Amino acid sequence: MSTLLENLDSAARNAWAVTFGDGVEPYQPTPSTVVHAAPHETLRRYDRTTAATGNPVLLVPPLAVVISCYDLRPSQSVVEFLLEIGKQPYVVDYGDITWADRNMGLEDWTHRIVPDAVRRVSEAHGGAPVDLIGWSFGGMFSVLTAAAHADLPIASVTAVGVPFDQTKNPGTALPRLVGPITGGREVAYSTWLFGGIPKQFVRAGFRIQALEREITRPLFIGRNILDSEALARMESVDRFMARMPGYPGRFYRQVYRRLILRNELFTGTVHIRSDLAVELAKLTCRVLLIGSKSDLLAPAASVEAGGQVLTGASEVRYEQVRGSHLGMLTAPEARGSAWKSIAEFLG
């Protein structure tokens, strides 16, 4: 009888927490210290209690997400894992993207924000080379930065879920079919009108990508009403999606035309502007590519294709793991798959 009453009490508390309450588990980010503060390029160093070993690590987020993609919750935190294996992680925080940022483009990240962060991290460690880890667009920023700046102290790049070959990405088949006919005007006009892709659209788009999860959410809650850990994992993803910022208009137009329609990440030269091009073959550091067959945004084959264009890299590894675009980096199973591959790669 006492067990039944305890279960009823737990169920009632969890039901209240996920509906009207403050949640099963409050968000507690890993403690960090701001070492450089500037619009769209705030650099944070995660706090350690012991001396770090090896190269410092710079986490490069994509656009349209917050830095919690690397620090979702305890046991689902890349940051926490890097601290565990003795690394000193940093992250560059872009902050919110608003109408005022509509003219920001690829070059802002590949030729200013990420290079500046690399230099600051290296200088803080006596000129040591830096290991970059980037998920999604963050991985693309990392690859293009390393290719564009041979003088930067970059030891390696880990690119998670970066689709190099759009012909192997079914999700871009329709735009690649329609775009050459319309000249990309449908994207140009809409991003000009809104100044980019507003955060509300980004959040809705991410939920559509996980439509099955959204539909089955009430059933998931019902089945796991006594499992606080499962509910906390669900809440962490909900919280992450609810905080997504938007895309700058100019950046999105560049991605649509250069990377999706012209497939320039795979042809080998990304024409960021008419007077600025980045040749991927000029990247010389070590590279780890991580992909998943379950990733709808960057299917495994499109990620693995990066090995065909990064011909100047001293080493290119490809590791295939399980999980969705976000899940392969943050799901509980990531510790034994993607995180394990990263730890082995970083040595």
Side-chain angles (χ1 to χ4, degrees), residues 107-345:
E107 67 272 28
D108 285 290
W109 278 269
T110 61
H111 286 71
R112 179 171 59 87
I113 295 173
V114 178
D116 287 354
V118 170
R119 293 187 186 99
R120 289 189 178 95
V121 171
S122 177
E123 289 169 3
H125 291 261
V130 180
D131 290 311
L132 303 187
I133 299 178
W135 169 59
S136 194
F137 277 136
M140 180 193 69
F141 293 153
S142 301
V143 167
L144 292 177
T145 297
H149 305 278
D151 60 318
L152 278 178
I154 297 176
S156 72
V157 171
T158 297
V160 183
V162 178
F164 284 84
D165 187 358
Q166 296 296 341
T167 66
K168 293 181 170 62
N169 188 353
T172 62
L174 182 59
R176 285 176 56 79
L177 178 66
V178 174
I181 300 172
T182 64
R185 294 181 183 86
E186 67 282 2
V187 169
Y189 292 156
S190 60
T191 53
W192 176 84
L193 178 65
F194 293 105
I197 307 296
K199 57 187 178 183
Q200 294 84 358
F201 290 7
V202 173
R203 294 167 187 174
F206 205 93
R207 291 185 182 279
I208 291 171
Q209 288 287 338
L211 188 59
E212 182 180 354
R213 176 186 182 274
E214 295 298 306
I215 293 174
T216 60
R217 187 176 187 275
L219 181 60
F220 178 87
I221 293 174
R223 286 177 173 173
N224 295 278
I225 198 62
L226 293 175
D227 190 343
S228 298
E229 173 68 16
L231 295 176
R233 291 198 300 267
M234 177 200 72
E235 282 185 339
S236 68
V237 177
D238 290 343
R239 183 168 50 236
F240 171 75
M241 291 193 293
R243 296 178 60 204
M244 287 180 165
Y247 288 106
R250 185 162 171 273
F251 167 84
Y252 200 83
R253 290 191 291 274
Q254 288 173 316
V255 168
Y256 185 72
R257 290 170 177 165
R258 271 76 167 180
L259 307 188
I260 295 179
L261 299 186
R262 300 177 189 171
N263 204 21
E264 290 186 358
L265 268 182
F266 188 67
T267 59
T269 302
V270 177
H271 298 86
I272 294 177
R273 293 191 313 245
S274 59
D275 62 340
L276 182 61
V278 177
E279 297 177 33
L280 272 70
K282 290 186 176 180
L283 179 151
T284 60
C285 64
R286 302 169 63 236
V287 177
L288 171 63
L289 304 175
I290 298 179
S292 168
K293 286 186 176 180
S294 303
D295 188 346
L296 299 180
L297 296 179
S302 69
V303 176
E304 187 176 11
Q308 299 177 47
V309 292
L310 299 173
T311 55
S314 59
E315 176 190 3
V316 178
R317 294 188 196 180
Y318 171 71
E319 295 287 343
Q320 188 164 296
V321 300
R322 295 180 179 179
S324 64
H325 193 60
L326 175 64
M328 62 178 165
L329 191 69
T330 64
E333 298 78 16
R335 176 177 290 273
S337 55
W339 296 1
K340 180 181 178 181
S341 296
I342 291 171
E344 292 174 350
F345 178 69

Side-chain angles (χ1 to χ4, degrees), residues 97-104 191-192 195-196 248-251 253:
I97 300 294
T98 67
W99 169 266
D101 307 308
R102 62 191 180 278
N103 291 321
M104 293 185 73
T191 53
W192 176 84
R250 185 162 171 273
F251 167 84
R253 290 191 291 274

Side-chain angles (χ1 to χ4, degrees), residues 11-25 231 235:
R13 283 189 284 107
N14 285 343
W16 176 267
V18 298
T19 52
F20 305 107
D22 296 327
V24 173
E25 176 186 89
L231 295 176
E235 282 185 339

